[in-house]
Amino acid sequence: MATNLLDKDILLLDGGLGTTLEDQHGVKFSSETPLWSSHLLVENTSTLKAVQRDFADAGADIILTATYQASLHGFKNTKTINKAGIDAEEARGYMLSAVRIARESYDGRPGLVALSLGAYGATMIPSTEYSGAYGTMTEEDLYDFHMTRVSTFTSSEEWEEIDLVAFETLPRIDEVRAAKKVMLSVTDKPYWVSCVFPNDDQRLPDGTGIDELVSTMLQGDKPPWAIGVNCTKIHKVDGLVKAFEDAARKKSLRLPRLVVYPDGAGRKVYDTRLQEWIGDDSDQTPWEEQLFDIVSKSKQRGAWKGIIVGGCCKTTPGYIKKFRQRLDAAC
């Protein structure tokens, strides 16, 4: 562990694990692999280790565990070569192994491990974290879901190897509240909450505006260590960050750290029905240049305690390496 790294002004996150596995390593995901990148914990740890090592070697300060879509329900529905479903105890072992693999990616160097906890919708088939369409799920149901998942780790030896807890791609305000409620019982780890903005307006998929979102994130007991945006088109991010700052200013709320990791798909969008990226991503300013500009402007405005920055879908170790070089050259 290297918790002193948490004090750095800018921390570099890794990139899109699942899409890197697809695009650079020939891994195929479908409804038969409901765990997405977590499926490699079961059947292909060598490739998973190689990709996470690539992100660490590219200069990432933080590696997210391969648990974004992991859930006991998902493991139960996972078909492997030897069995049609994985029971809860075995699933727990696989989930804990993700922590060790992430830690080992640094090969003994200082680095942080963040426990990746995707939205409930990320565990559905097809995934619904971009729409927030969860059927009959209530806020209490969402609390139970996230609490069960977090408890898998808090009761283990691997918990000591986790530096941060990351609630990612949340599309609904009730899920934000549920995540915060879960973390009231976790007193020894900082956490972040990042939301997704797939639509043209500055609202969550459930219709929640940024003023309400920021107030919900920051008010009450044990607010997040960082808040922000992930898995969102990069051209939207600067405006969203400014809107977060304006919302905090209106309520006289002190902002924590900013966490921002947009996708690298250009104009392409992910079709959850087809389970593929569609559209055109040509004629784009390089991703690392756009993101560096966003980070520089955010830092100049001085509203945040620090910045955690990285990539989401379609961002590879190459993207992270180029961004690391931009950061280092500017220091």
Side-chain angles (χ1 to χ4, degrees):
M1 296 180 69
T3 51
N4 59 311
L5 282 174
L6 292 172
D7 296 328
K8 284 183 65 174
D9 189 34
I10 297 178
L11 286 163
L12 181 55
L13 191 59
D14 57 8
L17 175 60
T19 51
T20 299
L21 288 165
E22 286 184 313
D23 295 343
Q24 297 191 345
H25 294 268
V27 176
K28 302 297 183 184
F29 297 114
S30 69
S31 59
E32 298 299 311
T33 53
L35 298 172
W36 197 255
S37 55
S38 300
H39 191 83
L40 277 77
L41 297 169
V42 180
E43 292 190 336
N44 195 349
T45 56
S46 60
T47 299
L48 175 60
K49 290 176 180 179
V51 173
Q52 293 204 311
R53 176 69 59 83
D54 287 345
F55 277 117
D57 289 346
D61 298 304
I62 303 173
I63 297 293
L64 285 154
T65 59
T67 51
Y68 175 80
Q69 285 169 305
S71 69
L72 297 181
H73 178 76
F75 275 101
K76 185 178 180 180
N77 290 335
T78 294
K79 297 177 178 63
T80 68
I81 295 173
N82 299 318
K83 61 186 70 176
I86 296 170
D87 64 34
E89 187 57 33
E90 191 174 0
R92 181 175 180 271
Y94 285 127
M95 291 168 75
L96 295 177
S97 73
V99 179
R100 297 190 293 272
I101 290 170
R103 174 62 62 196
E104 290 167 1
S105 69
Y106 291 111
D107 195 24
R109 295 167 297 183
L112 299 167
V113 170
L115 176 62
S116 173
L117 301 173
Y120 171 77
T123 69
M124 299 177 71
I125 300 293
S127 60
T128 60
E129 72 264 50
Y130 300 117
S131 68
Y134 291 0
T136 60
M137 290 290 287
T138 66
E139 184 174 327
E140 190 61 30
D141 294 331
L142 292 170
Y143 167 78
D144 290 341
F145 168 78
H146 285 291
M147 190 67 195
T148 297
R149 205 160 46 160
V150 169
S151 296
T152 295
F153 297 92
T154 58
S155 60
S156 71
E157 292 181 359
E158 285 76 9
W159 184 243
E160 293 301 315
E161 293 296 327
I162 294 170
D163 301 295
L164 294 153
V165 177
F167 293 94
E168 308 182 87
T169 331
L170 303 191
R172 295 168 42 145
I173 195 69
D174 57 352
E175 193 161 20
V176 172
R177 290 193 295 263
K180 287 188 64 182
K181 184 179 178 183
V182 167
M183 293 307 293
L184 288 175
S185 64
V186 180
T187 59
D188 60 339
K189 306 290 180 187
Y191 73 104
W192 79 64
V193 175
S194 59
C195 291
V196 62
F197 293 85
N199 302 320
D200 291 334
D201 57 10
Q202 292 184 334
R203 292 183 174 274
L204 294 183
D206 73 351
T208 301
I210 288 180
D211 284 3
E212 182 183 354
L213 173 62
V214 170
S215 294
T216 300
M217 285 174 158
L218 298 183
Q219 291 178 333
D221 296 331
K222 202 187 177 188
W225 180 79
I227 63 172
V229 179
N230 78 291
C231 212
T232 296
K233 293 300 173 193
I234 195 166
H235 70 268
K236 301 178 184 179
V237 172
D238 189 46
L240 289 166
V241 172
K242 291 175 182 175
F244 271 62
E245 294 170 7
D246 291 343
R249 193 177 302 114
K250 290 174 189 175
K251 296 285 188 178
S252 298
L253 295 170
R254 296 186 65 182
L255 286 167
R257 290 161 180 80
L258 169 67
V259 58
V260 56
Y261 44 122
D263 72 38
R267 295 188 184 94
K268 285 185 176 180
V269 295
Y270 187 70
D271 187 311
T272 56
R273 182 179 60 84
L274 297 175
Q275 293 192 318
E276 63 183 48
W277 292 87
I278 59 174
D280 177 37
D281 64 350
S282 61
D283 300 324
Q284 295 285 301
T285 301
W287 178 87
E288 69 276 5
E289 292 184 20
Q290 295 182 71
L291 189 56
F292 185 79
D293 185 60
I294 292 166
V295 170
S296 298
K297 290 177 179 178
S298 299
K299 189 176 179 182
Q300 288 169 8
R301 290 193 297 269
W304 304 88
K305 289 184 177 180
I307 300 174
I308 302 94
V309 56
C312 206
C313 299
K314 291 292 183 178
T315 55
T316 66
Y319 281 63
I320 299 305
K321 183 176 182 179
K322 289 179 180 178
F323 190 78
R324 173 90 269 168
Q325 291 169 344
R326 290 296 302 267
L327 280 181
D328 291 347
C331 294

